Amino acid sequence: MKRLNLRKTHVAIGLIILSIMLLLWFSVRKRIVLITPAPTILFEDVQGRFIAELSQDSRRNGYWPVPHEIPSKILAATLAAEDSRYYEHSGVDVRAILRALWQNIAHLQIVSGASTIPMQVARIQHPAERTIFHKITEAITATALVRVYGHNAVIRQYLRIAPYGCQNHGIVYAARKYFAKPVEDLTWAEASLLAALPKLPGRMNLYRFEGWHLATQRAIYVLNRLRKIGKITDAEYDEALSHLPALRPVQKEIRPSICLHAILQIEKKMRAAPAAWKKHDPIIRTSIDLDLQNDISSEAVLAMQELRRDGAGNIAVIVAEKETGNVIGYLGSEDFCDVDAKGGIDYAQVPRSSGSILKPFIYALGMQERGFTAATLLTDIGLPLDGCTGAYAFHNYDDSYLGPILYRNALANSRNIPAIQVLQAVGIDVTCRQFYDLGLIHQRIDPAYYGLGLAIGGLYVKLFDLVQAYGILANDGTPFKLHWYPERVAPPSHHIIPEDIARQISLFLSDPIARLPSFPRMGSLEYPFPVAVKTGTSKGFRDAWCVAYSKKYIVGVWVGHPDNYPMKRRAGADSAAKLVHRIMEKLHPEEMNGLSDNAFPPPRGYIAKRICMLSGKLATDNTQHTAYEWFRPGTEPVLESDVYRTVKIDARTGKPAGDRCPASVVKLKTYVVLDPRFADWAKQSGLELPPVDVIRTAGVPRLRSDPRLAVKEPPNGVRLLRDPETPPEYSTIPLQALVDPPVPQVVWYVDGEPYEVVDYPYSTRWKMLPGRHTFQIKLPYARLASEKARIIVK
């Protein structure tokens, strides 16, 4: 019976031991691996100054790879501090366990744990409560790790993941954070101090006096151990002891407040591709220049002090290198921490109404798709809309018109009406496709959604996307992307905008003469070195834009209000452009003397011709307003300008003198004879109109004898809504006609009845009445009449 009970006891004990072994096996089995956390990515500016760091775990930083050859000082100090017999045991040091057991019994408390480096690796990788079971698990895991990976791999793992205070892990990362140097350059004193930290990382905070004092006492212990085991000489020991009290960690690195929006964009880019973390070195040298960033921030603050009085609420700035696309300056708002101005919003990434800032791309598309040239004559006068839209006419932002205007001048003056003409000629669908290729539109939707307003603010864009699009222009039409740090970019294999057209647009935007009269000389848009610049202002002065590029840099600025409130007539030219100008000056200190080349390169193979600015034809000796324009051979004008016409006038009648007119009353007079479509503009501008007989004899003889009659305004099919707040006597619309060749008078008919006899250029006004109406012009005492224009007034 006793033997039976004893046998049962042995079986029970065996089962218990087996159960414990199985439990230990299942606990250890999955732990026999060296876990490598993703390293913290540290971002520096172009000069190596701290900007930010990015970790997968916001509570722990570091885990930087250890050099292939572990520095001798680091290895010796670590083993002296934690496990001097490391290479003599297989993961568990029995002698250390017995020594710890004796010390704990002698002191009646735990004063030593006897943990080896492999056991610490096991515990750091799988933290758990300090129980006997977990201690045994750590010991078994440690032995297995050494057996599977070897001593060298385990010590490297320890040096990569061990805690070094302030949530910093890994000695390579700790050397960078505390001493701003690589581990290979650490002195004996610095190495001993770092090796001391894993003992009590929570208490040894090197940025506090108590923690620093405790760490230095521990470092002295490490140095004593090093001398005792013969790893350092007496001379090295004395030098390290004298060096230790003088050690101080570098100032704790914090994110520069002026870079917070840039930092968030960099982190967003990195987090979008977590796999890229392992491909990068732990330290990434970004393109941000903190000196320039400070300058930009200071200039933005000064600008906002002035602009805030006129309703501006915030500002955004981007500065990039033209050739590489590297972002060297980025300001998402004036002050990230300004809650009232909603400074936490990155306005460089917020879509806002584009105003006129997209016109260069529309003009480039007109040259590409419709064959427009620098000599194309556009019309800067009232331009009716399709009546189905419910709107009546576009206007320029200054409510003035320049009449006939060359392609270059129309863009440089940022006129709205010519831009609408070009957009109409190109087509909204084609323009939307081009904007998609430029990165200004990110979703393909029905082009009718934007309408003709696409040219003057109908499209909402981000400053970031806008600078990238202008980078395409600046780089002769090749693809261009903004980068936060150096990246390998394949050479451009195609052009989004043809090179010759991109170069012409750059010439248009950099010519201060072409901006006259809308933008006077020596203003915010003119530089003493080549700069292509374009401004934009959205409806109601809610957004002010400016983007400029030189041969080296691209600068973009947005000014507006977070809540989309209008500013007090603050356009892009007198707000955003001023800040761009000051930034460009800082970027080009050597070019400010005005001695550099004052032009961008012309298109390859093009030829220059002197053009009449009022006709787009070749200038003659008596042409008063001329400009030199570049043309691809075969596209240049061939006819000479006939705008300036000298006529013999009978002083008695003011009409052309006949052959029988006495010489004493004949006077020579030079008229500017414009195309009939500009007659109303000339009259409204106060220009002296030539007699109709002079107009009829100007230009190329016509084959037909009857004039062509057409109603220009109101356009056929338009629907008009009367403003109930406007007094009836002021609720009128203009009536304009086109007669080619001109005649002295026409008769306006409204609803089939004679309305008014009007002299050249046939303009008058009609008081709106509700209902359906027809408009027509006829020649006096003749049957010749125009087609009827039908409108609806509600």
Side-chain angles (χ1 to χ4, degrees), residues 5-309:
N5 291 336
L6 182 62
R7 186 175 299 174
K8 288 182 179 180
T9 302
H10 289 166
V11 171
I13 293 173
L15 290 175
I16 292 173
I17 294 174
L18 180 61
S19 299
I20 293 174
M21 291 179 64
L22 288 174
L23 182 60
L24 289 172
W25 167 248
F26 283 110
S27 299
V28 170
R29 185 167 56 98
K30 295 183 180 180
R31 301 188 180 198
I32 307 174
V33 62
L34 297 179
I35 300 173
T36 306
T40 295
I41 302 297
L42 190 146
F43 298 97
E44 299 176 337
D45 84 330
V46 290
Q47 299 183 40
R49 293 169 292 191
F50 176 81
I51 293 182
E53 56 189 4
L54 177 62
S55 302
Q56 283 190 336
D57 185 347
S58 60
R59 298 172 298 171
R60 299 178 180 88
N61 301 314
Y63 306 109
W64 285 9
V66 178
H68 179 72
E69 186 76 25
I70 301 176
S72 58
K73 292 186 179 68
I74 293 299
L75 181 59
T78 300
L79 295 182
E82 299 294 335
D83 194 350
S84 60
R85 299 183 63 253
Y86 176 71
Y87 284 99
E88 300 175 17
H89 60 72
S90 59
V92 177
D93 190 347
V94 177
R95 286 172 52 182
I97 292 176
L98 294 176
R99 184 180 64 250
L101 183 61
W102 173 255
Q103 291 175 348
N104 294 339
I105 293 174
H107 291 82
L108 298 179
Q109 61 178 349
I110 298 177
V111 295
S112 178
S115 290
T116 61
I117 284 178
M119 293 174 67
Q120 292 184 57
V121 169
R123 183 171 64 251
I124 295 171
Q125 293 187 154
H126 300 281
E129 292 184 37
R130 305 296 296 274
T131 64
I132 294 178
F133 175 80
H134 289 136
K135 197 72 173 178
I136 295 174
T137 303
E138 289 173 8
I140 297 174
T141 303
T143 304
L145 289 174
V146 172
R147 181 177 294 274
V148 173
Y149 295 101
H151 285 86
N152 289 336
V154 173
I155 186 65
R156 290 174 61 85
Q157 177 74 351
Y158 174 81
L159 292 172
R160 182 167 185 173
I161 66 174
Y164 286 86
C166 299
Q167 300 301 327
N168 298 327
H169 290 257
I171 196 161
V172 180
Y173 182 77
R176 167 62 179 81
K177 296 298 288 185
Y178 293 132
F179 301 118
K181 60 170 61 175
V183 289
E184 295 88 344
D185 296 341
L186 292 177
T187 65
W188 277 115
E190 293 166 340
S192 299
L193 186 66
L194 291 183
L197 296 179
K199 183 70 173 178
L200 294 170
R203 295 176 59 188
M204 296 185 189
N205 186 339
L206 297 187
Y207 296 112
R208 295 181 179 178
F209 174 78
E210 297 83 0
W212 177 263
H213 178 71
L214 185 60
T216 54
Q217 294 304 308
R218 173 72 176 170
I220 293 173
Y221 163 79
V222 174
L223 288 172
N224 290 332
R225 290 283 299 163
L226 286 169
R227 185 174 65 166
K228 182 177 180 180
I229 62 179
K231 292 298 183 179
I232 61 174
T233 65
D234 290 340
E236 290 173 330
Y237 174 79
D238 293 337
E239 181 183 1
L241 279 183
S242 63
H243 183 204
L244 192 60
L247 282 180
R248 288 292 182 273
V250 297
Q251 185 176 1
K252 192 172 183 179
E253 296 172 319
I254 60 175
R255 294 182 173 191
S257 62
I258 58 174
C259 290
L260 289 179
H261 282 301
I263 292 167
L264 292 175
Q265 289 302 317
I266 294 172
E267 290 188 354
K268 181 180 179 181
K269 179 178 176 63
M270 291 297 297
R271 292 191 186 279
W277 290 12
K278 295 183 179 181
K279 297 180 181 179
H280 281 289
D281 292 331
I283 300 178
I284 295 180
R285 187 67 61 89
T286 71
S287 54
I288 295 291
D289 185 337
L290 282 178
D291 291 334
L292 177 64
Q293 191 75 7
N294 275 304
D295 289 340
I296 293 173
S297 178
S298 298
E299 292 293 347
V301 170
L302 291 175
M304 286 302 297
Q305 288 177 356
E306 175 186 352
L307 296 172
R308 192 173 285 107
R309 295 194 295 267

Side-chain angles (χ1 to χ4, degrees), residues 647-651 654-657 665-669 671 691 694:
V647 181
K648 294 180 179 179
I649 298 295
D650 187 335
K655 296 182 178 181
V665 296
V666 174
K667 294 184 178 180
L668 295 178
K669 191 168 184 178
Y671 289 101
V694 173

Side-chain angles (χ1 to χ4, degrees), residues 420-480:
I420 299 297
Q421 285 182 279
V422 177
L423 179 59
Q424 282 182 315
V426 171
I428 300 174
D429 55 342
V430 175
T431 304
C432 285
R433 286 198 299 270
Q434 180 75 331
F435 283 179
Y436 183 86
D437 293 339
L438 291 168
L440 297 169
I441 294 178
H442 298 283
Q443 295 179 346
R444 296 187 183 274
I445 63 175
D446 185 1
Y449 173 82
Y450 299 106
L452 293 176
L454 193 67
I456 56 173
L459 178 64
Y460 279 55
V461 297
K462 302 176 184 178
L463 180 63
F464 191 87
D465 295 338
L466 196 59
V467 171
Q468 287 191 144
Y470 270 84
I472 295 173
L473 273 179
N475 286 278
D476 292 341
T478 58
F480 177 86

